[in-house]
Amino acid sequence: MAKVLVGVSGGVAAYKAVEFVRLAVLAGHSVRVIQTPASLRFVGRATFSAITGAPVLVSEFESDPSRGCWPGEELPEHAPISHLALVENADVFVVAPATANLISRVAAGSSDELVSAAVLAANCRVLVAPAMNNRMWENPATVANVATLRERGITVLEPGEGQLASHGEAGKGRLIEPRELLAELDSAGGRSDFRGVRVLVTAGGTREAIDPVRFIGNRSSGRMGAALANAAASRGAEVTIICANSSIPTSSDVKVINVVSAAELGDACDQQFPNCDLLLMAAAVADFIPTAAADQKIKKSEGVPTIGLTASPDILAGLAGERRADQTVIGFAAEHGGDPLANARTKLKSKQLDALVLNDVSVADIGFESEENLVTFISADQELELARGPKLDVAHSILDQIKILGTNPQKG
Ligand code: C5P
């Protein structure tokens, strides 16, 4: 069972957070609650304190009688700084309800009260359960703030639809029901199941110079790789991401190495691969590279140039071929046309991978540059289509499958 930190902000739905905390405690989780000052207008701290059996904090300036610990734990001699200690010790941080205001403070990186300060300091998995009026939920400001949170690796749950707090109004914006929130918490698992696992992710798309201003590139945005890095980090992994021309933000505890070309990506992989337990090779690497890049910009006046191409070495196959027995290697394949599954199976074998994540990019609205993805996880003995969803959710499903695969990165 998990050590759960619950952050309650000031909306009518705070009453549903009481039920959620009660259910979480009944399910066996150990829970601590922190509240924004505004939330006290809806639910007092005595309620949460009685249910959790632990003190409830509202300000970062008040001292924590439990010194950042959960019920039953031995207190340290030194009183820690609450917003740092609580998120450091928690397995999962659930913010419910999260008002539009709280979400905007988190998106801005603000830390002017305890709950947003704790989100800013969190290196555990963070689930945000929004609750607000439907017009506020649909406002482009909130839409952008939610997208920012998701890009940074925070799981923002979709609010429910139905009757809202203001009389006669209905729409999307209700806090999801306490039982559903508990299910989300359980699937987030209070997870530290990748703790101690060193994960190397490659992301983005390489660029191969034709001349100093032109290149051959591809449409990979790096979103899927960033989501994989964030998902693994939130589950306790030590993550390094090699980013090819992608500026999608990753959580602060992910180490980032930026590269441009396939050759640079290959060099970075050669350096980092020996230090990893699990390689997630999500980068779109150029298959063909201009034979010789021109030193100066090719002049249009000189007519249409002929650009000779050479095949670029398959980095993934090279790494997989020389890996240690304790390393797990996962490839990614964007297929368009032909028989995607058959092609993927061939790659799984020829590149000697433990599994391959197939992305059929001929399907509209998924894959390259999009927020959502739909992938098939292919290993020696199975082909499993994972549920379509935001890339962070898909990333967690991929990690779940890697665990089930039962190869090497099972330290937790
Ligand atoms: O063969 P294909 O390019 O479809 O294989 C995709 C997988 O191989 C991805 O994981 C990609 O990162 C990797 N790859 C590579 N080096 C290349 C081409 C692809 O590591 N030159």
Side-chain angles (χ1 to χ4, degrees):
M1 286 300 139
K3 291 198 285 180
V4 183
L5 179 65
V6 177
V8 181
S9 67
V12 177
Y15 79 92
K16 285 162 91 177
V18 175
E19 177 62 0
F20 163 66
V21 169
R22 192 184 74 82
L23 291 174
V25 171
L26 276 179
H29 295 296
S30 190
V31 183
R32 293 246 6 218
V33 173
I34 53 178
Q35 296 189 245
T36 63
S39 75
L40 296 176
R41 293 169 179 265
F42 299 92
V43 182
R45 54 172 119 189
T47 308
F48 289 117
S49 178
I51 298 172
T52 59
V56 173
L57 304 185
V58 175
S59 160
E60 59 272 51
F61 298 110
E62 66 185 308
S63 68
D64 177 6
S66 289
R67 298 195 158 190
C69 292
W70 265 249
E73 288 181 336
E74 197 180 324
L75 307 196
E77 281 179 15
H78 181 80
I81 298 169
S82 298
H83 65 279
L84 302 181
L86 285 168
V87 282
E88 205 173 332
N89 294 336
D91 295 315
V92 188
F93 183 11
V94 181
V95 183
T99 59
N101 187 16
L102 184 96
I103 289 172
S104 82
R105 290 205 300 278
V106 171
S110 164
S111 58
D112 58 352
E113 46 71 39
L114 182 57
V115 176
S116 52
V119 177
L120 196 61
N123 50 3
C124 59
R125 179 112 190 245
V126 181
L127 299 185
V128 166
M132 64 197 75
N133 177 272
N134 63 324
R135 281 171 283 140
M136 295 168 85
W137 174 250
E138 284 154 16
N139 188 293
T142 307
V143 171
N145 289 335
V146 166
T148 301
L149 266 55
R150 285 181 171 151
E151 280 191 350
R152 290 184 192 152
I154 293 176
T155 299
V156 182
L157 304 171
E158 287 296 314
E161 273 191 73
Q163 227 175 357
L164 300 168
S166 57
H167 189 69
E169 285 206 50
K172 189 165 181 179
R174 287 166 60 91
L175 182 69
I176 68 167
E177 294 310 311
R179 279 193 187 283
E180 292 173 50
L181 187 50
L182 183 65
E184 293 288 349
L185 168 66
D186 286 339
S187 74
R191 290 192 262 187
S192 48
D193 52 352
F194 278 72
R195 188 154 288 163
V197 179
R198 297 164 303 168
V199 177
L200 177 63
V201 182
T202 67
T206 61
R207 290 180 183 175
E208 312 308 326
I210 294 171
D211 65 21
V213 293
R214 303 184 180 94
F215 59 81
I216 297 176
N218 61 68
R219 289 178 53 201
S220 174
S221 63
R223 278 201 179 85
M224 194 61 228
L228 286 160
N230 288 336
S234 75
R235 290 164 73 160
E238 197 184 301
V239 185
T240 300
I241 186 167
I242 303 173
C243 274
N245 310 297
S246 165
S247 52
I248 306 291
T250 46
S251 61
S252 55
D253 41 359
V254 170
K255 183 179 160 201
V256 182
I257 298 170
N258 287 307
V259 296
V260 175
S261 63
E264 285 177 22
L265 182 81
D267 287 346
C269 283
D270 286 343
Q271 276 187 15
Q272 300 298 321
F273 184 64
N275 306 322
C276 83
D277 303 302
L278 168 63
L279 170 66
L280 302 171
M281 190 79 182
V285 187
D287 292 317
F288 314 108
I289 296 180
T291 313
D295 296 341
Q296 293 187 338
K297 187 180 172 192
I298 299 168
K299 302 269 178 305
K300 207 162 46 170
S301 55
E302 288 166 10
V304 180
T306 302
I307 299 166
L309 297 174
T310 350
S312 99
D314 193 312
I315 301 168
L316 179 61
L319 296 172
E322 66 184 36
R323 71 165 127 173
R324 299 186 307 265
D326 63 348
Q327 289 180 301
T328 299
V329 177
I330 311 291
F332 288 72
E335 295 290 335
H336 195 289
D339 182 344
L341 274 177
N343 290 345
R345 281 235 157 264
T346 309
K347 284 178 192 174
L348 178 78
K349 240 181 159 176
S350 65
K351 299 188 193 225
Q352 304 178 62
L353 309 174
D354 293 298
L356 185 122
V357 177
L358 165 66
N359 197 343
D360 184 348
V361 288
S362 63
V363 178
D365 299 338
I366 60 157
F368 290 142
E369 295 165 350
S370 68
E371 300 288 341
E372 291 209 335
N373 211 351
L374 169 68
V375 301
T376 307
F377 188 87
I378 302 168
S379 58
D381 48 16
Q382 69 161 354
E383 271 159 26
L384 187 68
E385 187 170 288
L386 307 181
R388 176 180 175 150
K391 286 185 172 169
L392 186 65
D393 294 356
V394 173
H396 278 290
S397 304
I398 291 170
L399 293 179
D400 292 343
Q401 290 307 316
I402 292 170
K403 268 182 67 195
I404 294 168
L405 205 59
T407 47
N408 309 308
Q410 314 292 313
K411 302 216 170 147

